[in-house]
Every structure is written in structure tokens, then in C-alpha cells.
Amino acid sequence: MLTTELNAGFLIGAAIGSGSNARAVEHGGADFLLAINAGRLRNMGVPSIASMLPVLDANSLTEGFAREELLALCRKPVLLGVNVWGRTFNPEAQAAAIGEAGFAGAVNFPSCMHYSRPMQQILSRAGRGIEQEVELLKAVQDAGMMSMFYCSSRTQARLAADAGLDLVCLNIGWNVGGAMGHRSRSTIEEVAIEAREIGRLIKRISPKTRFLLEGGPIAAPEDLSRVLSLAPLDGYVGGSTIDRLPLEASVASMIDGFRRASMRPTRLDDESLGLVNWAKQFGFVGQSEVQLMMLRRLRALSSANDPVLIVAEPGQNSLPAVRALGAIKARSRSLNMVQIDVAEQDLPARARNVLFGRRDSSSARPPILTDPTVELVVIRAPERLTQALQRRLARALRDGVFRMAGSRRMLKIEPRIVLQCDVQVQEDTVVEDLLGAGLEPELVSHMAGWTLRLPPLRERISDLAVLIETEAEGGHLEFSSGALQRLQAHDWPENEAELHTVLGRLAGRSSRLPVQADELEPLLRSAPNNDRRQKTRSERDLIVDILWRNGFNRTKAAEALGISRKTLYNKIMKYGLSG
């Protein structure tokens, strides 16, 4: 027997279908390779289950690629997949041919075990059943080679153990996961219980036989680890988990990486690079075109001392912009800033007293607008101030001075004033949207030339990757290609705050595999007030945006828009978007 060539510890077998994959698994430390027709078919883009269909002769298909690609490239033992369904059945002659070809042994694949019990009985009566598979592998083993027997039941395992075969692998069905995966009918715990019972049976009959496991819900190393905590095993054989799933994930991820690389500028010009570096000191992340446009305007506004109105949607991080606007006033590395959130004030009068002072002259605290020790005053939600107070604020900002109630003396505004409205506005309808949000026309008019709109996350999706890298720094979060596409297609109604929440919920995942798209579905929220936002955008712009987010897949775009594919096609033609 050649089992002495295998290590005495835990065995890893790999059922693969190409020379390139063979080299990879050998480099990764696999103990032996299986050359089976399912592996070859997987590499041809066909589901593994096609190995049981009469599409190609299994023996000739397997031996052909195994000779040319595996034996010629690999030093590890290669077991040839064989079946007993030929016109004649001569175990000794077949075993001799396997040895002469240079294989280390054989494995029963394709096997009767994948068929239903009635079909297995018919094949056994015809002399082409499980019993003949065991007989063939026993002949291979008697010829001084290695044998591995696939089984799916206690009865089949007992046959192999009675024959004293080298390796017995419990196959628990086709692998789940990936583009061509199957649905699991068993949980990890159920698999472990079955493996424990069959393993004990085999060891009682043939202690030297090594017991392995393959298939079903075991799709990742973590799954195998859970089984091992419940059932002793001598090894694991990977088919789709080694040959198909990693290939699908890695190639898709690489393609998506190239696509994402093309979406972001590979090299910024000197002006843009300087702008990005300037913005980093305040906490900005990203270099999308809309982000750069906003930063250019912000840098210009930051060099002045005039009041500025920041417009940001709920969930956007406005603090970097506030820091930039206060930089010119800062007398030290730490900015002396006071924030007044009108939405949190108990009464409008309280905000008025804080800003403009009280009639009671006994108050030791001066109005915040006149405090020379304060460098920046941020007034959040000014639209919630009373109309009269908004008009008073507009006039004070216009004149730079104001008169406190009960006094004739004019007081000078000392700090720089930043107003912040957390409302949803569009670039071409900022004035109308601010008026609709409750800002007084006089205040909107005065701030018209000094308004800074922060682009929401949905408008700078090309910054998403670097935002994730920054947010998840140290968390080692990786996303599959499908997951990244799902994140890019999301509308992000709560902007960076929602991204922060999603990444936080993914932190501490038990799996080390990349995050999959289906994991994101319960974490991503639908956009609130979506109808209102869509009305503020032209239908053409909305369609272009949704098409871009969904990779110009018309079916997905139609679903996102809530219309039929035919209706979407008509609108594409209407707006001349077919090119």
C-alpha cells in the first residue's frame, strides 16, 4: 500500500480539474489529488452534477486530462477517478492499467452512491453497483496502490471497512455556495452527528482505515472546524470548495478590483493632489470629481471670514468642513468652537438668549456672538428658529453688528458664524429647497453666495471603497465582488452614518471569508422620502444614475426604479441614452 506516503496527521485531498489548479493546491500543501470527471467539468463551466449524466465518457475524459496536466506537473499522489459501468468488468486488468499509467491509486468516481436507492439496487443486480466499486478498489490496493472509497451511507461504509480499504470518504452531497452551488439539506451539526457514527463504525471494523469527509454545507475552513469539534476525522477532501468556489471569488474580486480602479482617477493633477492633501488635515476622505469640486469651493470659503451656510443631508459628516472653515480663525491647534443645536433647544427663546443675550444686564455671560474667546459658532438647524429670530440673525450677519435687547449700544460679532441645515437639496434647486425646509427668504438671500452643499454619498460612490478602507481600518473586512456591487448600488439614504453602522454590524464576524451580498441585505435600509427626492431630480438624471449604479444592467435598473424592463427601454430611447 502507498498510504505510507501520506502524512500521519490530518489529510487534505483536492479534487481538481486542471493543471493550474493542481499546482496551486500542491503549493498550498495538499496531501493528495483526485483526478475526477466532476473536477474537469467544473473547469469547463459545467455544474458538478453533470458528472453523473451521459454527456461524456467519464473514464476517457478523466484519464486524458489527468495524464497531460496532473501527472506531468505534480509530485503529490494522484488518484484516478474510475467507474464500473463499462461493457466489461475486469478489476485486475483495470488496476494494472492504472499502475502502468503512473497513478498512485484510484477513487470510485462517478459512483453509484449519488443515485437513488432503487437505482443502486438495479445497478447491483446488473453487476455494476457499489459492491463492484469496492471490488475494483480492493484490486487496486492489492496491486500495491492507494484506494479511496466515496460512500454516502452506513451500509456502503461497512462494505469498504470490511474490505480494509485505505481511505473512506463520507460524501454528504454536492457543495453549497457559489454560482453553481446547491441548497444544503443538512446543517453542520447534523453532518457532524452522521460523520461521528459512521467514523466509529469504520474504526471498529478496520482501525487502519482513515476516515475523511467531503461536500454539503462545508464551504469554508470554519465549517470544517465546527464539524471537527463534534466528530473525529482523519482528513477532508475538497472539490468545489477548493476547485470552484475560490476561483469564482478570486476572479470576480480581481475583475471588480480592475473595474473599481478604472472608476477612480489613477493619477491626480498637481492642483487636485494639493487639494486632497489640504483636505486630509481636516478629516476628508475621497477624491471623486464631485468631492474635488466641493473642496475647491470650501478652500475658497475658508480663506474668508464671512458667515457660511453648510447644507448636508442627515447622516453626513460635516465636521471636516466646519474645521476647515474655522482654520483661519484658530489661534492654536485646537479650535475654540461652540455648537448651538436649535433642534435640541427647549424653547426658541433659549436660542435667542444664547445668541443675542438677555435683557437682564446682571447676566455675567455675554452673548455668544460677541464673545472674543470663541473662534467659531456653529448654529445647527437654523430653520427651526422663529421667523422673527431668523430675520434678526440675517440682519446681524449682514451688518456684522447687532443691538442687545434693552441696550442702544451696537455689539460687534466676533466669531465666524457657520449655519448648518441637515436637509436634502439638489445642486440646481438649493434656494427652493431651503425655502421649503423652513428658512426665511431674507436669510436664504443673504447666504446665497456663501452656501456650501456637501455631496451625499450616493453622488460620490467612487469614493465608497476608500471610505470603507478608512472606516474598517484594523478590522480586516473584505467584501466579495457581489457584495461590493450591492454596496455601490445602494442609495445610502443615511450617508456616512449608515455606512458606519453597516461596518460596525459586520465587525467581529465569525467567518474569515469575504462578506457576501446576502449578508448585506438585512443591513441596508431603503431610502426614506424617496419620492420627494426623485421629484427634485429630472427623470433623465434619475435613470442615468440608477443605470450606472446597477452596472447598466437594465433588468436590475428597472427593478430599482419600480418599472417594467420595457418601460425602462422606452424611456432610454426617449432620452437618447441608448448609446
Side-chain angles (χ1 to χ4, degrees):
M1 297 192 305
L2 293 182
T3 49
T4 54
E5 294 184 9
L6 300 179
N7 72 69
F10 193 84
L11 298 175
I12 299 293
I16 44 80
S18 70
S20 60
N21 284 359
R23 280 187 166 179
V25 298
E26 190 171 50
H27 181 71
D31 295 290
F32 63 95
L33 284 66
L34 306 181
I36 60 177
N37 69 328
R40 189 58 163 182
L41 290 168
R42 282 194 299 268
N43 279 257
M44 295 166 64
V46 181
S48 299
I49 197 171
S51 62
M52 302 301 299
L53 302 177
V55 290
L56 292 168
D57 178 61
N59 284 347
S60 60
L61 172 68
T62 305
E63 188 171 352
F65 93 84
R67 280 175 179 266
E68 296 174 5
E69 299 182 31
L70 304 193
L71 292 182
L73 297 174
C74 300
R75 297 181 180 178
K76 296 288 185 178
V78 178
L79 306 188
L80 178 66
V82 294
N83 62 72
V84 297
W85 300 331
R87 288 176 294 177
T88 61
F89 177 61
N90 188 331
E92 290 74 19
Q94 200 166 351
I98 293 170
E100 291 172 3
F103 293 101
V107 56
N108 59 322
F109 198 98
S111 168
C112 303
M113 63 151 186
H114 283 117
Y115 288 126
S116 64
R117 186 175 180 83
M119 184 63 176
Q120 290 182 27
Q121 292 172 344
I122 292 172
L123 288 169
S124 292
R125 288 197 297 268
R128 295 293 187 272
I130 289 291
E131 297 83 358
Q132 284 70 41
E133 293 182 10
V134 172
E135 185 180 349
L136 173 57
L137 293 180
K138 184 66 168 63
V140 169
Q141 194 165 301
D142 290 343
M145 292 176 286
M146 188 192 313
S147 67
M148 190 186 94
F149 178 73
Y150 274 123
C151 70
S152 61
S153 68
R154 290 174 58 91
T155 301
Q156 295 169 6
R158 183 186 293 275
L159 287 173
D162 287 338
L165 297 185
D166 296 328
L167 307 173
V168 175
C169 182
L170 174 62
N171 188 297
I172 46 182
W174 309 106
N175 274 113
V176 301
M180 298 182 293
H182 297 257
R183 292 185 178 180
S184 176
R185 293 176 295 178
S186 304
T187 65
I188 293 292
E189 287 70 27
E190 290 170 338
V191 166
I193 292 172
E194 183 181 8
R196 184 169 56 194
E197 292 178 354
I198 292 180
R200 287 175 177 173
L201 171 66
I202 292 172
K203 294 296 185 180
R204 282 200 303 268
I205 299 172
S206 177
K208 292 183 178 181
T209 296
R210 304 179 76 174
F211 178 56
L212 298 87
L213 191 63
E214 177 182 3
I218 301 177
E222 291 79 7
D223 301 327
L224 178 62
S225 180
R226 288 170 59 191
V227 174
L228 286 170
S229 67
L230 300 170
L233 297 172
D234 295 314
Y236 170 75
V237 175
S240 292
T241 53
I242 290 176
D243 199 39
R244 174 173 61 85
L245 296 176
L247 179 66
E248 288 181 5
S250 61
V251 172
S253 177
M254 186 65 71
I255 293 295
D256 187 65
F258 283 120
R259 186 174 300 281
R260 284 185 284 117
S262 69
M263 292 168 56
R264 65 176 73 173
T266 56
R267 183 186 178 193
L268 296 175
D269 56 46
D270 292 341
E271 185 269 338
S272 298
L273 183 60
L275 191 62
V276 170
N277 289 334
W278 170 81
K280 282 182 180 178
Q281 64 180 313
F282 305 113
F284 282 103
V285 176
Q287 56 185 50
S288 60
E289 188 57 39
V290 292
Q291 180 84 338
L292 292 175
M293 290 175 61
M294 182 275 295
L295 292 177
R296 289 187 184 96
R297 178 163 175 75
L298 174 61
R299 186 161 62 176
L301 294 176
S302 68
S303 62
N305 195 35
D306 297 71
V308 173
L309 170 61
I310 296 177
V311 181
E313 291 188 3
Q316 283 188 274
N317 182 13
S318 60
L319 187 56
V322 170
R323 290 188 186 126
L325 291 172
I328 193 174
K329 293 282 290 185
R331 290 183 288 268
S332 64
R333 292 181 62 87
S334 59
L335 178 67
N336 187 6
M337 175 176 63
V338 173
Q339 295 195 59
I340 302 171
D341 194 340
V342 180
E344 295 180 356
Q345 301 294 330
D346 297 332
L347 296 170
R350 184 178 177 186
R352 181 192 63 205
N353 293 338
V354 172
L355 291 170
F356 296 101
R358 302 175 59 180
R359 182 184 294 271
D360 182 7
S361 58
S362 63
S363 174
R365 184 174 182 84
I368 201 70
L369 295 182
T370 66
D371 192 337
T373 65
V374 176
E375 297 162 345
L376 191 71
V377 173
V378 180
I379 306 173
R380 298 194 61 177
E383 70 277 5
R384 299 202 179 191
L385 295 170
T386 63
Q387 293 179 334
L389 192 54
Q390 286 191 52
R391 289 194 291 269
R392 184 181 181 187
L393 178 61
R395 292 162 190 167
L397 296 179
R398 180 194 63 199
D399 300 336
V401 295
F402 68 94
R403 190 167 56 192
M404 192 168 62
S407 172
R408 295 183 178 181
R409 188 163 61 94
M410 301 298 290
L411 302 176
K412 181 183 177 183
I413 297 179
E414 295 289 346
R416 186 172 195 181
I417 310 301
V418 173
L419 310 180
Q420 182 179 333
C421 291
D422 291 338
V423 296
Q424 202 170 61
V425 302
Q426 299 304 310
E427 191 67 54
D428 53 351
T429 58
V430 172
V431 172
E432 294 87 340
D433 292 337
L434 288 175
L435 291 173
L439 276 182
E440 270 291 291
E442 190 172 350
L443 187 57
V444 173
S445 176
H446 177 68
M447 302 302 300
W450 295 85
T451 298
L452 177 72
R453 176 181 178 267
L454 302 183
L457 183 52
R458 65 178 176 275
E459 293 181 8
R460 56 189 194 100
I461 289 296
S462 58
D463 286 336
L464 186 61
V466 68
L467 282 169
I468 290 174
E469 291 173 6
T470 304
E471 281 275 356
E473 187 175 2
H476 305 295
L477 268 181
E478 293 185 30
F479 292 84
S480 68
S481 174
L484 285 173
Q485 291 175 10
R486 179 65 185 89
L487 291 173
Q488 290 167 351
H490 186 54
D491 208 40
W492 297 107
E494 297 179 29
N495 294 287
E496 290 93 339
E498 184 179 358
L499 177 62
H500 180 75
T501 299
V502 169
L503 296 178
R505 289 178 176 174
L506 291 171
R509 293 167 66 244
S510 58
S511 174
R512 294 184 180 180
L513 292 176
V515 177
Q516 302 300 312
D518 57 359
E519 294 182 68
L520 297 174
E521 291 306 327
L523 305 181
L524 298 177
R525 307 170 188 174
S526 57
N529 303 321
N530 197 45
D531 290 340
R532 178 184 178 276
R533 184 174 64 81
Q534 290 186 8
K535 289 177 182 178
T536 64
R537 307 168 67 184
S538 72
E539 187 178 53
R540 183 185 187 279
D541 290 342
L542 179 62
I543 290 173
V544 170
D545 181 52
I546 296 297
L547 281 170
W548 184 82
R549 289 175 186 279
N550 289 276
F552 294 92
N553 184 305
R554 295 183 181 182
T555 300
K556 292 182 179 179
E559 292 176 356
L561 289 165
I563 60 178
S564 68
R565 196 175 187 278
K566 182 178 180 181
T567 301
L568 175 60
Y569 176 78
N570 291 336
K571 291 182 180 294
I572 288 173
M573 299 303 293
K574 174 184 175 181
Y575 295 117
L577 302 176
S578 58

